[in-house]
Amino acid sequence: MWRMVHLPKDENETWLIYALGGGWGHLNRALSLGRIAARYRRVEIITNSPYAHHLLLQPKPSSAPEISGCHIHFISPTAGLESTCQQVEQILCNTNYNCLIVDTFPRGLGGELVKILPQLESIPRIFIHRDLNPEYVQVKNLHSFVQQHFNTIIVPGEGVDLPLADLPGVQHTLPWIIRNPEELPELKTARSLLQLNQLDNPVVVVCAAGNLVEQPFFTNLATQLTTAFPHIAIRHLSPHSPAHINHYPGIECLLAADAVIGGAGYNTVYECAALGVPLVAFALPRIYDRQQRRLQRDNLANCVWGVDNSKEAIAAIQKILSMRSPKPHSCPYYQNGAIQAEQLIRTTLVKFGF
């Protein structure tokens, strides 16, 4: 069992996390690790997530934006590819750090790390290997590239059958979760986040934290659910509209749900699994992430219902609610793989003499 090991904070040590990519996924995963690591050292995160501005509290121009103890380098999601790559290069080459952690894209989202990583041989480099499209791995020859430029590979709970999981030195953790069990609110508080008063009223949460173009589908689905289940509370969790609930982190709301409907992205799937909340999931199309494959993992068979359309989703919700039992008032217990990851990275630095 992995537990938090309390160490004195080293102000001379800095970890820099590269977390470029759209949606919540990369940023949320970076924060899951970063907020734990930041207890012992300085942590900086590079992100271009369009959701980052929801978390930044209008910092003073002279101060670095900070979330959960992590300092944020925010690159506008509307910046072009060339501008984004230039900003990444400037940050990586002009920031003092002792460890570079790269999430998902070892070459960088725009390939910008290809020329930068050879300049960083004196700095330990950690690659976080979430599932990837094998075609991308093959075309970009990632087996050779990752082995040459990274000291360690960590798989954050995505199984052993990933495209690069056969490389030597791969380390596996449980999924990374943005909150530890003891940090979750009480059930009554979680329900209040969803604007619910009665403790026994069933609630279905439509979790729409994916691409903006997918929002109309989920909005329409929420309307259909309200019609199909007039005596059940339907709540729409989304950062895109003030009319929806946009609480962050969403796991604190999902805790109160009897069922969740959303995509099969990393955070939605593993947060629901950790909480023991049934997830009705659509495998949404992504360039690099294989959501359909995530739904097929054996360890998720009892908590994730894969569907292809609204009709199937409504039928799945009806079946889940028919089996509903009262939710326990005690918080669920799970192990957070982000704690494992922080300790593995620290061990790696010692192993390689850093």
Side-chain angles (χ1 to χ4, degrees):
M1 182 182 299
W2 294 76
R3 292 186 174 89
M4 194 78 74
V5 177
H6 295 283
L7 302 171
K9 187 162 184 172
D10 186 350
E11 297 294 345
N12 295 318
E13 183 180 3
T14 299
W15 290 6
L16 181 60
I17 305 176
Y18 176 104
L20 266 66
W24 277 121
H26 305 280
L27 176 60
N28 205 63
R29 195 161 43 250
L31 287 171
S32 297
L33 171 65
R35 60 189 289 271
I36 292 171
R39 301 181 186 188
Y40 318 120
R41 61 192 63 77
R42 182 180 175 87
V43 174
E44 304 186 18
I45 298 174
I46 309 174
T47 180
N48 67 339
S49 170
Y51 297 92
H53 70 275
H54 290 280
L55 309 181
L56 297 172
L57 301 177
Q58 299 181 351
K60 297 178 182 179
S62 60
S63 66
E66 185 171 331
I67 305 173
S68 299
C70 303
H71 298 262
I72 305 298
H73 298 276
F74 180 59
I75 298 175
S76 172
T78 61
L81 180 61
E82 183 178 354
S83 174
T84 297
C85 292
Q86 289 176 348
Q87 291 180 68
V88 168
E89 182 175 4
Q90 184 176 13
I91 294 168
L92 288 176
C93 295
N94 294 284
T95 301
N96 292 321
Y97 51 96
N98 312 93
C99 177
L100 175 64
I101 301 162
V102 177
D103 179 83
T104 304
F105 304 112
R107 301 174 75 258
L109 188 61
E112 72 278 9
L113 297 184
V114 172
K115 71 173 183 178
I116 298 175
L117 288 178
Q119 306 174 42
L120 305 177
E121 292 184 355
S122 63
I123 296 173
R125 287 138 284 140
I126 314 293
F127 174 52
I128 308 305
H129 182 21
R130 189 212 68 190
D131 194 14
L132 277 170
N133 188 324
E135 183 177 348
Y136 167 67
V137 172
Q138 182 177 0
V139 168
K140 299 300 182 180
N141 192 23
L142 292 190
H143 272 86
S144 175
F145 185 85
V146 169
Q147 194 166 5
Q148 179 180 358
H149 293 292
F150 290 90
N151 303 103
T152 270
I153 304 166
I154 297 179
V155 176
E158 288 270 76
V160 299
D161 56 346
L162 273 60
L164 300 175
D166 59 339
L167 288 174
V170 171
Q171 305 272 3
H172 292 266
T173 73
L174 295 170
W176 299 4
I177 310 295
I178 192 68
R179 288 286 182 266
N180 298 328
E182 67 274 11
E183 297 174 311
L184 293 174
E186 296 181 350
L187 180 58
K188 183 177 180 180
T189 302
R191 290 181 69 88
S192 70
L193 296 175
L194 292 173
Q195 302 170 10
L196 296 165
N197 296 320
Q198 298 180 8
L199 288 178
D200 59 348
N201 190 29
V203 57
V204 174
V205 173
V206 178
C207 184
N211 295 337
L212 185 59
V213 296
E214 295 160 353
Q215 301 309 305
F217 169 78
F218 284 108
T219 298
N220 183 56
L221 179 57
T223 301
Q224 293 180 59
L225 289 168
T226 301
T227 302
F229 305 102
H231 303 297
I232 293 174
I234 308 298
R235 294 294 184 265
H236 195 161
L237 182 63
S238 171
H240 293 287
S241 169
H244 300 150
I245 296 170
N246 61 6
H247 178 80
Y248 182 84
I251 190 173
E252 297 178 349
C253 296
L254 302 184
L255 174 67
D258 291 285
V260 173
I261 293 183
Y266 182 94
N267 294 297
T268 304
V269 167
Y270 293 122
E271 286 178 6
C272 287
L275 297 175
V277 175
L279 170 65
V280 177
F282 295 88
L284 300 173
R286 296 291 185 265
I287 297 175
Y288 302 104
D289 187 23
R290 296 185 292 174
Q291 294 196 3
Q292 182 63 50
R293 187 174 179 84
R294 186 172 291 118
L295 290 179
Q296 296 169 347
R297 297 198 181 283
D298 292 338
N299 62 325
L300 299 173
N302 295 326
C303 58
V304 178
W305 304 54
V307 295
D308 295 323
N309 53 59
S310 298
K311 183 178 180 179
E312 291 183 4
I314 292 172
I317 290 294
Q318 187 171 24
K319 189 169 184 178
I320 290 169
L321 293 178
S322 71
M323 301 184 294
R324 175 181 181 260
S325 57
K327 292 182 73 68
H329 286 266
S330 59
C331 288
Y333 177 76
Y334 52 86
Q335 294 188 55
N336 187 354
I339 297 175
Q340 290 177 269
E342 188 275 336
Q343 296 182 27
L344 284 174
I345 293 172
R346 185 153 32 89
T347 300
T348 296
L349 301 187
V350 173
K351 176 181 177 181
F352 285 93
F354 296 106

